[in-house]
Amino acid sequence: MAELVIKDLHVDVDTENGPKEILKGVDLTVRDGEVHAIMGPNGSGKSTLAYAIAGHPKYTITQGSVTLDGVELSDLPVDERARAGLFLGMQYPVEVPGVSMANFLRTAKTALSGEAPKVRTWPKQVNEALTVMDLTSDFSERSVNEGFSGGEKKRGEIAQLELLDPRAAILDEIDSGLDIDALRVVSAGIERFAKKPDKLVLLITHYTRILRYVHPDRVHVFVDGRVKVSGGPELADNLEERGYEQYAK
Ligand code: ADP
Ligand code: MG
Ligand code: MG
């Protein structure tokens, strides 16, 4: 089972002038096997939603709840949210100089499952996950995200998704900075993940382009820190034609 339930979520961001409310009551339920797209203009709070769920220290949940399979995430430290089955693919993946991808993946997998991955099978799994994302095997010897191209970062994120095997994947603008070939590879990776049992995906995107490759069950339009309207995949087509203006506050 995988079910993400967001209820009346209010979130403040830390600014130089004190806390500022960005999310103003988000309600959203993503059920087992579903892919939901969150779309919306720049500054509407999409990344804030992702960060707040993942537990970024700059974002404070002031009201409401987020549960994954009934477990309240806001009560948990970041690493325990990951152990609870959550994965966040970031808009701007963080560079970790001096830590190779191979080490990072092994450490993350060990932390998640409580035991080191098997030496007989793990390197092969890593190789396969990289190959399917069109990444060469020397990629695993490079420092995490350091000097990676935009496409390499995002393909690396999906390789992580494949290997770490969470239940809920929140992917924030995984499509930004991708050329058409990388977009296809990344989309195929997301679809492959979504089709496994007991998975759900929250796909945050500014553009409809990725939704030609990753087919959402539901589409939500985010405006000013709230879900303004929800619908089926046809809502994305409508946005493509008419833009976000029609939903301005
Ligand atoms: P989106 O991902 O939809 O583009 P964000 O969640 O990144 O939107 O940002 C939502 C709003 O929060 C924006 O108005 C942004 O300026 C504001 N915001 C986010 N982080 C900070 C911060 N650290 N300091 C001040 N304002 C911020
Ligand atoms: Mg599905
Ligand atoms: Mg954003």
Side-chain angles (χ1 to χ4, degrees):
M1 239 270 294
E3 186 179 49
L4 183 70
V5 181
I6 303 171
K7 279 194 185 144
D8 191 33
L9 193 70
H10 291 247
V11 171
D12 283 357
V13 65
D14 260 358
T15 78
E16 288 161 13
N17 309 316
K20 177 183 169 198
E21 184 167 73
I22 305 295
L23 299 189
K24 303 170 180 172
V26 176
D27 291 287
L28 194 64
T29 297
V30 188
R31 298 201 169 80
D32 209 53
E34 291 181 343
V35 176
H36 287 215
I38 292 192
M39 306 197 64
N42 272 324
S44 56
K46 304 182 301 297
S47 291
T48 299
L49 177 68
Y51 283 133
I53 297 173
H56 189 295
K58 273 192 114 170
Y59 300 84
T60 308
I61 295 176
T62 56
Q63 193 179 317
S65 70
V66 183
T67 60
L68 178 57
D69 296 337
V71 174
E72 179 61 55
L73 295 180
S74 57
D75 294 340
L76 302 178
V78 173
D79 57 327
E80 282 179 37
R81 295 184 200 206
R83 270 200 294 274
L86 184 73
F87 176 92
L88 173 64
M90 281 184 287
Q91 184 171 356
Y92 304 107
V94 179
E95 298 187 4
V96 193
V99 177
S100 71
M101 278 297 279
N103 267 335
F104 168 76
L105 288 166
R106 174 183 302 281
T107 304
K109 189 70 180 176
T110 304
L112 284 171
S113 57
E115 56 181 2
K118 297 208 165 42
V119 280
R120 289 180 54 197
T121 51
W122 180 247
K124 186 161 170 279
Q125 271 176 273
V126 171
N127 248 323
E128 282 172 1
L130 295 179
T131 305
V132 76
M133 294 312 294
D134 265 355
L135 295 163
T136 51
S137 53
D138 66 325
F139 190 81
S140 62
E141 297 314 319
R142 293 170 66 186
S143 287
V144 175
N145 287 316
E146 196 182 29
F148 289 10
S149 70
E152 283 174 334
K153 284 182 182 170
K154 299 306 176 83
R155 283 183 279 142
E157 293 278 296
I158 300 302
Q160 271 180 56
L161 177 67
E162 168 80 28
L163 289 163
L164 300 183
D165 199 36
R167 290 197 305 288
I170 300 178
L171 303 173
D172 190 9
E173 300 214 14
I174 195 80
D175 49 340
S176 69
L178 294 186
D179 63 29
I180 197 72
D181 295 320
L183 182 66
R184 282 214 179 91
V185 169
V186 160
S187 299
I190 298 169
E191 288 259 286
R192 224 173 17 252
F193 173 80
K195 288 199 168 82
K196 293 192 206 169
D198 307 322
K199 306 294 182 197
L200 64 85
V201 176
L202 195 54
L203 187 69
I204 297 172
T205 179
H206 188 70
Y207 299 106
T208 54
R209 190 177 69 148
I210 193 173
L211 304 182
R212 285 183 223 140
Y213 303 98
V214 180
H215 302 285
D217 298 286
R218 300 283 293 165
V219 175
H220 310 278
V221 181
F222 230 64
V223 179
D224 193 27
R226 285 193 192 90
V227 174
K228 183 88 175 202
V229 54
S230 299
E234 73 287 348
L235 187 52
D237 301 332
N238 170 296
L239 286 168
E240 177 86 59
E241 279 171 29
R242 298 180 51 209
Y244 293 121
E245 275 296 295
Q246 56 183 319
Y247 299 115
K249 12 169 183 164

